[in-house]
Amino acid sequence: MHVQLLAHTPDPALAGEMYKSVYAVALTLFRHSAPACVYGLCTERKMTCRKAAKVRARYQALQESCLDKE
C-alpha cells in the first residue's frame, strides 16, 4: 500500500477504509505506514501538499478508531 494513498486517491473514503482494515489486522507491520509528515517533517520538498496538520489529524483519527475497536 502506498503510504500517501489517502492524499492521492480519487476516493478518500475508500482509502481510509483500506487503511483501517490493514492497520487493525497487522498493527506492528503498518504502525508507521503513513506519510512522513505524520511523524515529523514533510519530505516532499517542492511537491508538498502543504496540509501536514490536516494529514496528521486524519491519520491520528484513523489509527485511534482502529485501536478503539480492540
Side-chain angles (χ1 to χ4, degrees), residues 44-70:
E44 295 294 322
R45 298 187 179 148
K46 289 183 179 182
M47 300 299 290
T48 183
C49 68
R50 302 190 195 315
K51 299 177 185 177
K54 184 177 179 180
V55 172
R56 279 187 202 110
R58 186 165 186 193
Y59 272 90
Q60 183 178 9
L62 285 170
Q63 291 170 351
E64 288 174 358
S65 71
C66 291
L67 296 176
D68 290 342
K69 291 180 182 179
E70 293 177 353

Side-chain angles (χ1 to χ4, degrees), residues 5-69:
L5 186 62
L6 293 177
H8 299 290
T9 186
D11 187 357
L14 175 62
E17 290 303 313
M18 290 170 55
Y19 182 80
K20 286 195 297 188
S21 65
V22 298
Y23 190 83
V25 172
L27 178 61
T28 303
L29 182 62
F30 290 100
R31 181 176 304 272
H32 296 291
S33 64
C37 64
V38 172
Y39 304 108
L41 297 175
C42 179
T43 58
E44 295 294 322
R45 298 187 179 148
K46 289 183 179 182
M47 300 299 290
T48 183
C49 68
R50 302 190 195 315
K51 299 177 185 177
K54 184 177 179 180
V55 172
R56 279 187 202 110
R58 186 165 186 193
Y59 272 90
Q60 183 178 9
L62 285 170
Q63 291 170 351
E64 288 174 358
S65 71
C66 291
L67 296 176
D68 290 342
K69 291 180 182 179

